[in-house]
Amino acid sequence: MLEGKNLIVFFENAIAVNNLSFYVNKGEIVGILGSNGAGKTTLMNTISGLIMDMKLKEERKGGERITVLGQLLFEGKDITDLEPHKRVELGIVLSRERHPVFLESTVEENLRIAACSRRPKESRIGIDFVYSIFPHLKTIRKRRAGFLSGGEQQMLSIGMALMTKPKLILLDEPLLGLSPILQKELVRAIKEIRDDGVTVLITEQFARPILPIIDRGYVMENGMLVMEGKGSELIENPEVKAAYFGV
Amino acid sequence: MLTGIIVYGLVNSSILLLVALGFCLTFGVSRIANFAHGAIYILFGYLMWIFLNWLKIPFLFAILLTLVLSGIFGYVAYYVAVRRVRGIVLSEVVSTFALGVGILEFFRWMGFVTYEFSLPPIKKGSLYILGFPIDYQRLIIILAAIGLVAFLYFFTHYTKLGLSFRAIAQNERTAIALGIDADRVAALSVAFGSAFASVASILVLPLGIISINSGYEALLIAIAVGIVGGLESIPGMILASLVLGFVQIVVGVYVSSAWVMVVYLLAIIVILVVMPSGLLGKFKELEERV
Ligand SMILES: Nc1ncnc2c1ncn2[C@@H]1O[C@H](COP(=O)(O)OP(=O)(O)O)[C@@H](O)[C@H]1O
Ligand SMILES: [Mg+2]
């Protein structure tokens, strides 16, 4: 469904994604595990196309600070140079790191905003679907997003991504900073999302909470994918254990 | 006297709000300070005049045509004058200001400077409120200001385009990640700002003649209301219009009408020194948008 070939992303003085290739099959949950600064967010931004927007803004200011090389294929189509909103149209959506939502709007308004690029008939269905996955969001739907807890904002952020009716959802560290109970709740939701037909690519620093649900995983270090394997294989690997279980 | 101050204060505040609304809308959504705003206000005043007097287009149709053309003009102006320098505030200001000066001085060069250039009121005549005479046009201006604010509220809360305006205004990168085309929204925000300017010119210009200088004055009004109100909140703009509008009338009555223009400049300076984010603005939003 999604394939990256020899992706390279340079920032002015650093290489954030270093010649990496990967693939995601339809219906999978694929994890990318790596510590802080490994390049996970840069990779997610490259797939969603946000990096194009960052690059454009830098270039308008006169700098040539971001370079993106390599190739991205989605359902066989080359999307390497596609603008982010066109990728959302194709069915790729990103729930950004640290769940930035529209703080001055209510929960329900956030969801309606997220459905802006969709036809209105589908919107209501989307909201019901999101509320069925995150029942808690329904109980706080009139509350302003600025008053939500981190966990609630994270649910909202994922819910907003779902409102675009994606085929592939990119989740950038959705469990970061959440309590174990909330992490469990989100992991359940992510599985439910996949069971509903949405392919999932998820990044995490700590493997423990997501290992049980991922079909495959990559380990990322300094912009490179250093290891690939089934969830169960990763769990057996002593290095993964040491590095990501905090043993 | 007090009735007079209240009525004319309200009229004046409504004028300021009408003139400033488009400028503030564009800025609030996409952070583009459209310094051609005053020129657009005058441009479509003249165009309306040409439709009525040269082309003899019926009044209501001329209004419609002016609104539509002003929207298209704003949209195109974004791609011509703003897009390449997007994000570099000084260049945006220089570019749009140059466009504005070009438009205004073009009309001066064409000789659009005599007393024949004035627009007809929407409704002639006047009535008495609490024993105080007020003409229908000024009354319409007050109602239109209220109506436009109501429209803006409805538009930004219940239409898809309005919701994507607010999305971009609140967090551009998240909006982009959700599939909103930031460039198109920016262009449309200039288009709406421009259409609002033409609404203002159709309503306000009939109170006097269309003059080049009122184009520069309109820009000053927009900046003053924007800075005093905080540039991104509708309540802030309403408050700023009321404060500036009433202060001007009081100054005009008790000091001298020569000082009326000074009110804008003083207000801008005082606010920038004392409350740089405006009466109801929130500077912190700038950080949250990153
Ligand atoms: N906007 C940027 N400008 C310069 N360097 C950046 C930028 N964003 C990320 N980097 C660098 O790229 C590397 C990868 O960062 P990131 O993708 O955020 O990693 P992760 O999400 O795994 O923590 C880091 O070394 C970081 O310093
Ligand atoms: Mg990250």
Side-chain angles (χ1 to χ4, degrees), chain A residues 11 16 35-42 54 65 97 173:
Chain A
F11 290 104
S35 54
N36 208 357
K40 304 182 297 295
T41 298
T42 306
M54 295 158 81
R65 289 193 57 241
E97 182 179 39
E173 299 205 40

Side-chain angles (χ1 to χ4, degrees), chain B residues 2-68:
Chain B
L2 188 64
T3 322
I5 288 181
I6 290 176
V7 171
Y8 276 94
L10 274 179
V11 171
N12 197 37
S13 302
S14 303
I15 292 174
L16 300 189
L17 187 60
L18 284 174
V19 169
L21 211 51
F23 178 85
C24 297
L25 174 70
T26 304
F27 187 87
V29 170
S30 47
R31 309 284 132 170
I32 298 166
N34 181 8
F35 271 57
H37 186 75
I40 292 170
Y41 169 77
I42 290 304
L43 168 64
F44 287 94
Y46 280 132
L47 221 57
M48 178 81 182
W49 185 91
I50 290 172
F51 290 159
L52 293 175
N53 294 281
W54 288 357
L55 306 178
K56 307 285 183 210
I57 294 173
F59 189 60
L60 282 180
F61 192 63
I63 291 180
L64 204 67
L65 203 59
T66 304
L67 291 184
V68 170

Side-chain angles (χ1 to χ4, degrees), chain A residues 26-74:
Chain A
K26 195 169 159 51
E28 278 187 320
I29 301 181
V30 175
I32 293 185
L33 309 171
S35 54
N36 208 357
K40 304 182 297 295
T41 298
T42 306
L43 178 61
M44 292 304 230
N45 287 344
T46 308
I47 300 171
S48 71
L50 271 190
I51 196 96
M52 308 255 309
D53 182 65
M54 295 158 81
K55 186 168 142 76
L56 192 74
K57 293 209 165 103
E58 292 291 346
E59 275 166 12
R60 278 180 188 158
K61 284 182 192 158
E64 182 76 53
R65 289 193 57 241
I66 304 176
T67 314
V68 183
L69 301 169
Q71 200 185 23
L72 261 178
L73 299 171
F74 182 67

